[in-house]
Amino acid sequence: MANVTEESVVEVLNSVTATAFPTLAEFSGIKDADIFVAYIALLLMALIPIYIGSHWSLSPKKDGNDKEPPLTTKEAAMFPLYASGFLLGLYAIFKIFGKDYINFILSIYFVLIGAVSIGHVLTRPLRNIIQFLGLGRYLTAYKLSLTRNEEDLFNLTFDYSNIFSLLVGSVVGAVYFKHKQWMANNLFGLSLCICGIESVSLGTYKIGLILLGGLFLYDIFWVFGTDVMVTVATSFDAPVKLLFPKDLAFFESSNSRSFFLLGLGDIVVPGTLYFPLSFSHHEALTLACAGIFIAFLLRFDKRKSEKKAHFSKVYFWTGFLAYIIGLIGTVLVMHFSKASQPALLYLVPSCVGSTFLAAAIRRELPELFAYSDEDEKKKISEKKQE
């Protein structure tokens, strides 16, 4: 990636791919303390969705809507190619038509899916609060169905917690759309990542290796080989990044130049598959591939524990700590080399290498490669029918 100026979108490593933290040379007027606080804040914002989304992926959805089916080997192998094509498409559009009109359309789209994501994320804790207060009667479920010749075309189950949460998400969306408020922007980013990690299943460890391996090569190529990624990232103006003020003295500023930016990885770079108006696993993949991999490890931990309520999270913590090390490594290299780095150059070897080594040491490699989310889902379904 080319040098990032103060006016550029700084691609940072989020829960998934290419990134670049601002360096001291690029922001020489900012106090070291402010830079340190911003680094910590952005790192925490990358880790929180992974932790929450991973644990939420353990339990089935309670809204009556099934999670997306696991990825196939073909989908994982082709995803970097699809993402490359979309990235080049955005690059051409920005070059030919300019960015204002395109950004307006994309902003509307991301505000809509962001509001829905916030509504989804708020629903679970809100239900817990309602039950704790003894107001369970307000959680009566309603169902909307659309059928054709007795064939179900659409089913939606909801209660008052869903309605309230969606209203909150809509308010946040309106605030962002009108004022581009940075905290509203962050709520979008965090909720999108949580939904992506919770919803998407890699299926098997092998598929995870294929996906991360492909994105590893993809990330390196588009960061070091061309200016396409930088052009798209610096032209893209939508709620697809996390923000934190550069100078804490101007905490209330809404000017985008007053912030460090944490890109939502594959949403901005490497080009998203976000355009279909359905939150399928292709779109969710663009949020947090490494986070999805770590969530898979947690489900494997749970499978190994069988029926234990509290289980050892050996592989989850191995992957999670490796992710932190990868993030810190990227920051350190960028900070001292004063050159942008592709995040997956550090994240993939760290996460994959550590979990593979852990399985080898524990002599559980065959078990890790044999585990399948789809098989586990079938077993759970069969037990419920019994």
Side-chain angles (χ1 to χ4, degrees):
M1 187 185 299
N3 290 334
V4 181
T5 66
E6 184 172 355
E7 298 179 358
S8 297
V9 170
V10 181
E11 300 169 59
V12 187
L13 3 81
N14 94 333
S15 343
V16 12
T17 90
T19 181
F21 273 99
T23 65
L24 285 173
E26 292 162 346
F27 298 109
S28 56
I30 304 174
K31 298 177 182 179
D32 287 352
D34 290 345
I35 293 178
F36 178 77
V37 171
Y39 281 172
I40 296 299
L42 291 174
L43 289 173
L44 288 175
M45 283 191 283
L47 296 173
I48 289 173
I50 294 179
Y51 186 87
I52 295 176
S54 295
H55 284 80
W56 283 12
S57 74
L58 293 176
S59 57
K61 290 186 176 182
K62 298 180 179 180
D63 55 6
N65 303 311
D66 293 333
K67 297 180 181 179
E68 293 295 333
L71 285 175
T72 65
T73 301
K74 182 179 179 180
E75 288 173 331
M78 294 299 294
F79 183 76
L81 298 179
Y82 294 147
S84 296
F86 192 85
L87 178 64
L88 287 173
L90 277 181
Y91 178 80
I93 290 173
F94 282 129
K95 286 290 187 180
I96 296 173
F97 299 103
K99 60 183 182 180
D100 293 339
Y101 178 70
I102 302 301
N103 278 328
F104 178 75
I105 295 176
L106 292 177
S107 292
I108 293 176
Y109 178 74
F110 280 109
V111 164
L112 291 176
I113 63 172
V116 173
S117 297
I118 289 176
H120 172 74
V121 171
L122 287 179
T123 297
R124 184 176 301 211
L126 181 59
R127 282 175 177 165
N128 292 336
I129 293 173
I130 291 175
Q131 290 175 342
F132 177 78
L133 296 176
L135 301 175
R137 62 184 180 278
Y138 292 108
L139 295 179
T140 301
Y142 299 89
K143 186 174 183 178
L144 289 178
S145 298
L146 179 63
T147 61
R148 182 179 60 189
N149 296 329
E150 298 184 356
E151 178 186 358
D152 288 338
L153 301 178
F154 173 80
N155 285 300
L156 176 64
T157 303
F158 64 94
D159 55 34
Y160 287 119
S161 66
N162 295 115
I163 297 174
F164 179 80
S165 299
L166 184 58
L167 288 175
V168 173
S170 300
V171 171
V172 174
V175 171
Y176 173 82
F177 194 78
K178 183 174 182 179
H179 303 288
K180 302 293 182 182
Q181 218 283 334
W182 69 274
M183 285 184 284
N185 177 95
N186 287 353
L187 290 175
F188 279 140
L190 293 171
S191 61
L192 285 168
C193 285
I194 291 173
C195 288
I197 295 170
E198 177 193 9
S199 302
V200 179
S201 167
L202 287 177
T204 66
Y205 189 75
K206 176 184 175 181
I207 291 176
L209 297 183
I210 294 172
L211 176 65
L212 290 180
L215 288 176
F216 172 78
L217 298 175
Y218 161 92
D219 208 18
I220 293 173
F221 173 77
W222 288 112
V223 171
F224 290 139
T226 72
D227 70 334
V228 173
M229 190 174 286
V230 171
T231 301
V232 172
T234 56
S235 301
F236 204 94
D237 182 21
V240 293
K241 54 189 176 291
L242 301 177
L243 307 174
F244 195 82
K246 296 175 186 175
D247 188 343
L248 299 184
F250 297 97
F251 201 77
E252 299 299 326
S253 172
S254 60
N255 187 335
S256 62
R257 295 184 183 179
S258 299
F259 296 92
F260 289 123
L261 309 177
L262 171 63
L264 293 186
D266 279 353
I267 289 182
V268 177
V269 269
T272 69
L273 300 176
Y274 239 118
F275 275 98
L277 292 177
S278 63
F279 199 72
S280 71
H281 55 241
H282 287 298
E283 288 83 49
L285 261 178
T286 63
L287 297 176
C289 292
I292 293 167
F293 179 75
I294 294 172
F296 170 85
L297 296 174
L298 181 61
R299 292 192 295 275
F300 175 65
D301 281 326
K302 184 178 181 181
R303 172 65 182 84
K304 288 175 78 294
S305 70
E306 295 296 340
K307 298 180 180 180
K308 296 178 182 178
H310 302 284
F311 56 93
S312 175
K313 303 176 184 178
V314 174
Y315 291 96
F316 169 76
W317 285 117
T318 299
F320 193 78
L321 292 175
Y323 185 87
I324 294 174
I325 292 172
L327 285 171
I328 294 175
T330 306
V331 173
L332 291 176
V333 173
M334 297 231 0
H335 188 83
F336 291 108
S337 69
K338 296 177 174 58
S340 300
Q341 302 291 316
L344 290 185
L345 177 62
Y346 304 91
L347 287 179
V348 171
S350 181
C351 292
V352 173
S354 62
T355 54
F356 189 91
L357 180 60
I361 293 174
R362 294 168 62 88
R363 298 181 180 181
E364 294 176 342
L365 276 176
E367 189 176 353
L368 178 60
F369 275 89
Y371 172 77
S372 169
D373 278 334
E374 187 68 15
D375 291 343
E376 186 65 17
K377 183 178 179 181
K378 290 179 180 178
K379 291 180 181 178
I380 295 175
S381 178
E382 290 175 356
K383 288 181 179 180
K384 287 182 178 180
Q385 290 178 359
E386 292 176 359

Coordinates of all heavy atoms in Angstrom, one line a residue, residues 171-236:
V171 N -32.9 4.9 14.7 CA -32.5 6.3 15.2 C -31.0 6.5 15.0 O -30.6 7.6 14.6 CB -32.9 6.4 16.7 CG1 -32.3 7.7 17.3 CG2 -34.4 6.4 16.9
V172 N -30.2 5.5 15.3 CA -28.8 5.6 15.1 C -28.5 5.8 13.6 O -27.7 6.6 13.3 CB -28.1 4.3 15.6 CG1 -26.6 4.3 15.2 CG2 -28.2 4.1 17.1
G173 N -29.2 5.1 12.8 CA -29.1 5.3 11.3 C -29.4 6.7 10.9 O -28.7 7.3 10.1
A174 N -30.5 7.3 11.4 CA -30.9 8.6 11.1 C -29.8 9.6 11.5 O -29.5 10.6 10.8 CB -32.2 8.9 11.7
V175 N -29.3 9.4 12.7 CA -28.3 10.3 13.3 C -27.0 10.3 12.4 O -26.4 11.3 12.1 CB -27.9 10.0 14.7 CG1 -26.7 10.7 15.2 CG2 -29.1 10.2 15.6
Y176 N -26.6 9.1 12.0 CA -25.4 9.0 11.2 C -25.7 9.6 9.8 O -24.8 10.4 9.3 CB -25.0 7.5 11.0 CG -23.9 7.4 10.0 CD1 -22.6 7.6 10.4 CD2 -24.2 7.1 8.7 CE1 -21.6 7.6 9.5 CE2 -23.1 7.1 7.7 CZ -21.8 7.3 8.1 OH -20.8 7.3 7.2
F177 N -26.8 9.3 9.2 CA -27.0 9.8 7.8 C -27.1 11.3 7.8 O -26.6 11.9 6.8 CB -28.3 9.2 7.3 CG -28.5 9.4 5.8 CD1 -27.9 8.6 5.0 CD2 -29.3 10.4 5.3 CE1 -28.0 8.7 3.6 CE2 -29.5 10.5 4.0 CZ -28.8 9.7 3.1
K178 N -27.6 11.9 8.8 CA -27.7 13.4 8.8 C -26.4 14.1 9.3 O -26.0 15.1 8.7 CB -28.9 13.8 9.7 CG -29.1 15.3 9.7 CD -30.4 15.7 10.5 CE -30.6 17.2 10.5 NZ -31.8 17.6 11.2
H179 N -25.8 13.5 10.3 CA -24.6 14.2 10.9 C -23.3 13.5 10.7 O -22.3 14.1 11.1 CB -24.9 14.4 12.4 CG -26.1 15.2 12.8 ND1 -26.3 16.5 12.6 CD2 -27.3 14.7 13.3 CE1 -27.5 16.9 12.9 NE2 -28.1 15.8 13.4
K180 N -23.3 12.3 10.2 CA -22.1 11.5 10.1 C -21.4 11.4 11.4 O -20.2 11.5 11.5 CB -21.1 12.1 9.0 CG -21.7 12.3 7.7 CD -22.0 10.9 7.0 CE -22.5 11.1 5.6 NZ -22.8 9.8 5.0
Q181 N -22.2 11.2 12.5 CA -21.6 11.2 13.8 C -20.7 10.0 14.0 O -21.1 8.8 13.7 CB -22.8 11.2 14.8 CG -22.6 12.0 16.1 CD -21.7 11.3 17.1 OE1 -21.6 10.1 17.1 NE2 -21.0 12.0 17.9
W182 N -19.5 10.1 14.6 CA -18.6 9.1 14.6 C -19.0 7.9 15.6 O -18.7 6.8 15.3 CB -17.2 9.6 15.0 CG -17.0 10.1 16.4 CD1 -17.3 11.3 16.9 CD2 -16.5 9.4 17.5 NE1 -17.0 11.4 18.2 CE2 -16.5 10.2 18.6 CE3 -16.0 8.1 17.7 CZ2 -16.0 9.8 19.9 CZ3 -15.6 7.7 18.9 CH2 -15.6 8.6 20.0
M183 N -19.7 8.2 16.7 CA -20.1 7.2 17.6 C -21.2 6.3 17.0 O -21.2 5.1 17.2 CB -20.5 7.7 18.9 CG -19.3 8.2 19.8 SD -19.8 8.8 21.4 CE -20.5 10.4 21.0
A184 N -22.1 6.9 16.2 CA -23.1 6.2 15.5 C -22.4 5.3 14.4 O -22.8 4.1 14.2 CB -24.1 7.1 14.8
N185 N -21.4 5.8 13.8 CA -20.6 5.1 12.8 C -20.0 3.8 13.5 O -20.1 2.7 12.9 CB -19.5 6.0 12.3 CG -18.6 5.2 11.3 OD1 -18.8 5.3 10.1 ND2 -17.6 4.5 11.8
N186 N -19.5 4.0 14.7 CA -18.9 2.8 15.4 C -19.9 1.8 15.7 O -19.6 0.6 15.7 CB -18.1 3.3 16.6 CG -16.8 4.0 16.3 OD1 -16.4 4.1 15.1 ND2 -16.2 4.6 17.3
L187 N -21.1 2.2 16.1 CA -22.1 1.2 16.5 C -22.5 0.4 15.3 O -22.7 -0.8 15.4 CB -23.4 2.0 17.0 CG -23.2 2.6 18.4 CD1 -24.5 3.4 18.7 CD2 -23.0 1.6 19.4
F188 N -22.5 1.0 14.1 CA -22.7 0.2 12.9 C -21.6 -0.8 12.7 O -21.9 -2.0 12.4 CB -22.7 1.2 11.6 CG -24.0 1.9 11.4 CD1 -24.1 3.2 11.0 CD2 -25.3 1.2 11.6 CE1 -25.3 3.9 10.8 CE2 -26.5 1.9 11.4 CZ -26.5 3.2 11.0
G189 N -20.4 -0.3 12.7 CA -19.2 -1.2 12.5 C -19.2 -2.4 13.4 O -19.0 -3.5 13.0
L190 N -19.4 -2.1 14.7 CA -19.3 -3.2 15.7 C -20.4 -4.2 15.5 O -20.2 -5.4 15.6 CB -19.3 -2.6 17.1 CG -18.1 -1.8 17.5 CD1 -18.4 -1.1 18.9 CD2 -16.9 -2.7 17.7
S191 N -21.6 -3.7 15.3 CA -22.8 -4.6 15.1 C -22.7 -5.4 13.9 O -23.0 -6.6 13.8 CB -24.1 -3.8 15.1 OG -24.1 -2.9 14.0
L192 N -22.2 -4.9 12.8 CA -22.0 -5.6 11.5 C -21.0 -6.8 11.7 O -21.2 -7.9 11.2 CB -21.5 -4.7 10.4 CG -22.6 -3.8 9.8 CD1 -21.9 -2.7 8.9 CD2 -23.6 -4.6 9.0
C193 N -19.9 -6.5 12.4 CA -18.9 -7.5 12.7 C -19.5 -8.6 13.6 O -19.2 -9.8 13.3 CB -17.7 -6.9 13.3 SG -16.6 -6.0 12.2
I194 N -20.2 -8.3 14.6 CA -20.8 -9.3 15.5 C -21.7 -10.2 14.7 O -21.7 -11.4 14.8 CB -21.5 -8.6 16.7 CG1 -20.5 -8.0 17.6 CG2 -22.3 -9.6 17.4 CD1 -21.1 -7.1 18.7
C195 N -22.6 -9.6 13.9 CA -23.5 -10.3 13.1 C -22.8 -11.3 12.1 O -23.2 -12.4 12.0 CB -24.5 -9.4 12.3 SG -25.7 -8.5 13.3
G196 N -21.8 -10.8 11.5 CA -21.0 -11.6 10.6 C -20.4 -12.8 11.2 O -20.5 -14.0 10.7
I197 N -19.7 -12.6 12.4 CA -19.1 -13.7 13.1 C -20.1 -14.7 13.6 O -19.8 -15.9 13.6 CB -18.2 -13.1 14.2 CG1 -17.0 -12.3 13.6 CG2 -17.6 -14.2 15.1 CD1 -16.3 -11.5 14.6
E198 N -21.2 -14.2 14.1 CA -22.2 -15.1 14.7 C -22.9 -15.9 13.6 O -23.2 -17.1 13.9 CB -23.3 -14.2 15.4 CG -24.4 -15.0 16.0 CD -25.6 -14.2 16.4 OE1 -25.6 -13.0 16.1 OE2 -26.5 -14.7 17.0
S199 N -23.1 -15.3 12.5 CA -23.9 -16.0 11.5 C -23.2 -17.0 10.6 O -23.8 -18.0 10.1 CB -24.6 -14.9 10.6 OG -25.3 -14.0 11.3
V200 N -21.9 -16.7 10.3 CA -21.2 -17.5 9.3 C -20.5 -18.7 9.9 O -19.8 -18.5 10.9 CB -20.2 -16.6 8.5 CG1 -19.5 -17.4 7.5 CG2 -21.0 -15.4 7.8
S201 N -20.6 -19.8 9.2 CA -19.9 -21.0 9.6 C -18.9 -21.4 8.6 O -19.2 -21.5 7.4 CB -20.9 -22.1 9.9 OG -20.2 -23.4 10.0
L202 N -17.6 -21.7 9.0 CA -16.6 -22.2 8.0 C -16.9 -23.6 7.6 O -16.4 -24.1 6.6 CB -15.2 -22.1 8.6 CG -14.7 -20.7 8.7 CD1 -13.3 -20.7 9.4 CD2 -14.5 -20.0 7.4
G203 N -17.6 -24.3 8.4 CA -17.9 -25.7 8.1 C -16.8 -26.6 8.7 O -17.1 -27.5 9.6
T204 N -15.6 -26.5 8.2 CA -14.5 -27.4 8.7 C -13.2 -26.6 8.8 O -13.1 -25.5 8.2 CB -14.2 -28.6 7.7 OG1 -13.8 -28.1 6.4 CG2 -15.5 -29.4 7.4
Y205 N -12.3 -27.1 9.5 CA -11.0 -26.5 9.7 C -10.3 -26.4 8.3 O -9.6 -25.3 8.0 CB -10.1 -27.3 10.6 CG -8.8 -26.7 11.0 CD1 -8.8 -25.6 12.0 CD2 -7.6 -27.2 10.5 CE1 -7.6 -25.0 12.4 CE2 -6.4 -26.6 10.9 CZ -6.4 -25.5 11.8 OH -5.2 -25.0 12.2
K206 N -10.4 -27.4 7.5 CA -9.8 -27.3 6.1 C -10.3 -26.2 5.3 O -9.5 -25.5 4.6 CB -10.1 -28.7 5.4 CG -9.6 -28.7 4.0 CD -10.0 -30.0 3.3 CE -9.6 -30.0 1.8 NZ -10.0 -31.3 1.2
I207 N -11.6 -25.9 5.4 CA -12.2 -24.8 4.6 C -11.7 -23.5 5.2 O -11.4 -22.6 4.4 CB -13.7 -24.9 4.7 CG1 -14.2 -26.1 3.9 CG2 -14.3 -23.6 4.1 CD1 -15.7 -26.3 4.0
G208 N -11.5 -23.4 6.5 CA -10.9 -22.2 7.1 C -9.5 -22.0 6.6 O -9.1 -20.8 6.3
L209 N -8.7 -23.0 6.5 CA -7.3 -22.9 6.0 C -7.3 -22.4 4.5 O -6.5 -21.5 4.1 CB -6.6 -24.2 6.0 CG -6.4 -24.8 7.4 CD1 -5.5 -26.1 7.4 CD2 -5.7 -23.8 8.4
I210 N -8.2 -22.9 3.7 CA -8.3 -22.5 2.3 C -8.7 -21.0 2.2 O -8.1 -20.3 1.4 CB -9.3 -23.4 1.5 CG1 -8.8 -24.8 1.5 CG2 -9.6 -22.8 0.1 CD1 -9.8 -25.8 0.9
L211 N -9.7 -20.6 3.0 CA -10.2 -19.3 2.9 C -9.1 -18.3 3.4 O -8.8 -17.3 2.7 CB -11.4 -19.1 3.8 CG -12.0 -17.7 3.9 CD1 -12.5 -17.2 2.6 CD2 -13.1 -17.6 5.0
L212 N -8.5 -18.5 4.5 CA -7.5 -17.6 5.1 C -6.3 -17.6 4.2 O -5.6 -16.6 4.0 CB -7.2 -18.0 6.5 CG -8.3 -17.7 7.5 CD1 -7.8 -18.1 8.9 CD2 -8.7 -16.3 7.5
G213 N -5.9 -18.8 3.7 CA -4.7 -18.9 2.8 C -4.9 -18.0 1.5 O -4.0 -17.3 1.1
G214 N -6.1 -18.1 0.9 CA -6.4 -17.3 -0.2 C -6.4 -15.8 0.0 O -5.8 -15.1 -0.7
L215 N -7.0 -15.5 1.2 CA -7.0 -14.0 1.5 C -5.6 -13.5 1.9 O -5.3 -12.4 1.8 CB -8.0 -13.8 2.6 CG -9.5 -13.9 2.2 CD1 -10.4 -13.8 3.4 CD2 -9.8 -12.9 1.2
F216 N -4.8 -14.4 2.5 CA -3.4 -14.1 2.8 C -2.7 -13.6 1.6 O -2.0 -12.6 1.5 CB -2.8 -15.3 3.4 CG -1.3 -15.2 3.7 CD1 -0.8 -14.5 4.8 CD2 -0.4 -15.8 2.8 CE1 0.6 -14.4 5.0 CE2 1.0 -15.7 3.0 CZ 1.5 -15.0 4.1
L217 N -2.8 -14.4 0.5 CA -2.1 -14.1 -0.8 C -2.8 -12.8 -1.4 O -2.1 -12.0 -1.9 CB -2.1 -15.2 -1.7 CG -1.4 -16.5 -1.3 CD1 -1.7 -17.7 -2.3 CD2 0.1 -16.3 -1.1
Y218 N -4.1 -12.8 -1.3 CA -4.8 -11.7 -1.9 C -4.4 -10.4 -1.2 O -4.2 -9.4 -1.9 CB -6.3 -12.0 -1.7 CG -7.2 -10.8 -1.8 CD1 -7.8 -10.4 -2.9 CD2 -7.5 -10.0 -0.6 CE1 -8.6 -9.4 -3.0 CE2 -8.3 -8.9 -0.7 CZ -8.9 -8.6 -1.9 OH -9.7 -7.5 -2.0
D219 N -4.4 -10.4 0.1 CA -4.1 -9.2 0.9 C -2.7 -8.7 0.5 O -2.5 -7.5 0.3 CB -4.1 -9.6 2.4 CG -4.5 -8.4 3.2 OD1 -5.0 -7.4 2.7 OD2 -4.3 -8.4 4.4
I220 N -1.7 -9.6 0.5 CA -0.3 -9.1 0.1 C -0.3 -8.5 -1.3 O 0.3 -7.5 -1.5 CB 0.6 -10.3 0.2 CG1 0.7 -10.8 1.7 CG2 2.0 -10.0 -0.3 CD1 1.5 -12.1 1.9
F221 N -1.0 -9.1 -2.2 CA -0.9 -8.6 -3.6 C -1.5 -7.3 -3.7 O -0.9 -6.3 -4.3 CB -1.6 -9.6 -4.5 CG -1.8 -9.1 -5.9 CD1 -0.7 -9.1 -6.8 CD2 -3.0 -8.6 -6.4 CE1 -0.8 -8.6 -8.1 CE2 -3.1 -8.1 -7.7 CZ -2.0 -8.1 -8.5
W222 N -2.7 -7.1 -3.2 CA -3.4 -5.8 -3.3 C -2.8 -4.7 -2.5 O -3.0 -3.5 -2.8 CB -4.9 -5.9 -3.0 CG -5.6 -6.7 -4.1 CD1 -6.2 -8.0 -4.0 CD2 -5.8 -6.3 -5.4 NE1 -6.7 -8.4 -5.1 CE2 -6.5 -7.4 -6.1 CE3 -5.5 -5.2 -6.2 CZ2 -6.9 -7.3 -7.4 CZ3 -5.9 -5.2 -7.5 CH2 -6.6 -6.2 -8.1
V223 N -2.1 -5.0 -1.4 CA -1.5 -4.0 -0.6 C -0.2 -3.5 -1.2 O 0.1 -2.4 -1.3 CB -1.3 -4.4 0.8 CG1 -0.4 -3.4 1.6 CG2 -2.6 -4.6 1.5
F224 N 0.7 -4.5 -1.6 CA 2.0 -4.2 -2.1 C 2.1 -4.0 -3.6 O 3.0 -3.4 -4.1 CB 3.0 -5.3 -1.7 CG 3.3 -5.3 -0.2 CD1 3.4 -6.5 0.5 CD2 3.4 -4.2 0.5 CE1 3.6 -6.6 1.8 CE2 3.7 -4.2 1.9 CZ 3.8 -5.4 2.6
G225 N 1.2 -4.7 -4.3 CA 1.3 -4.7 -5.8 C 0.7 -3.6 -6.6 O 1.1 -3.3 -7.7
T226 N -0.4 -3.0 -6.1 CA -1.1 -2.0 -6.9 C -1.5 -0.8 -6.0 O -1.4 -0.9 -4.7 CB -2.3 -2.6 -7.5 OG1 -3.3 -2.8 -6.5 CG2 -2.0 -3.9 -8.2
D227 N -2.1 0.2 -6.6 CA -2.7 1.3 -5.9 C -4.2 1.2 -5.8 O -4.9 2.1 -5.3 CB -2.4 2.7 -6.5 CG -3.1 2.8 -7.8 OD1 -3.4 1.8 -8.5 OD2 -3.3 4.0 -8.2
V228 N -4.7 0.0 -6.2 CA -6.2 -0.1 -6.3 C -6.8 -0.1 -4.9 O -7.8 0.6 -4.7 CB -6.6 -1.5 -7.0 CG1 -8.1 -1.7 -6.9 CG2 -6.1 -1.5 -8.4
M229 N -6.2 -0.8 -3.9 CA -6.8 -0.8 -2.6 C -6.8 0.6 -2.0 O -7.8 1.0 -1.3 CB -6.0 -1.8 -1.7 CG -6.7 -2.1 -0.4 SD -5.9 -3.4 0.5 CE -6.4 -4.9 -0.4
V230 N -5.7 1.3 -2.1 CA -5.7 2.6 -1.5 C -6.7 3.6 -2.1 O -7.3 4.3 -1.4 CB -4.2 3.2 -1.6 CG1 -4.2 4.7 -1.2 CG2 -3.3 2.4 -0.8
T231 N -6.8 3.5 -3.5 CA -7.7 4.4 -4.2 C -9.2 4.1 -3.7 O -9.9 5.1 -3.4 CB -7.6 4.1 -5.7 OG1 -6.3 4.4 -6.1 CG2 -8.6 5.0 -6.4
V232 N -9.5 2.8 -3.6 CA -10.9 2.5 -3.2 C -11.1 2.9 -1.7 O -12.1 3.5 -1.4 CB -11.2 1.0 -3.3 CG1 -12.5 0.6 -2.7 CG2 -11.2 0.6 -4.8
A233 N -10.1 2.6 -0.9 CA -10.3 3.0 0.5 C -10.4 4.5 0.8 O -11.2 4.9 1.6 CB -9.1 2.4 1.3
T234 N -9.6 5.3 0.1 CA -9.6 6.7 0.3 C -10.8 7.4 -0.4 O -11.1 8.5 -0.1 CB -8.3 7.3 -0.2 OG1 -8.1 7.0 -1.6 CG2 -7.1 6.8 0.6
S235 N -11.5 6.7 -1.3 CA -12.6 7.2 -2.0 C -14.0 6.8 -1.3 O -15.0 7.5 -1.6 CB -12.7 6.8 -3.5 OG -11.5 7.2 -4.1
F236 N -13.9 5.8 -0.5 CA -15.1 5.2 0.0 C -15.6 5.9 1.3 O -14.8 6.0 2.2 CB -14.8 3.7 0.3 CG -16.0 2.8 0.4 CD1 -16.4 2.1 -0.7 CD2 -16.8 2.7 1.5 CE1 -17.5 1.3 -0.7 CE2 -17.9 1.9 1.6 CZ -18.3 1.2 0.4

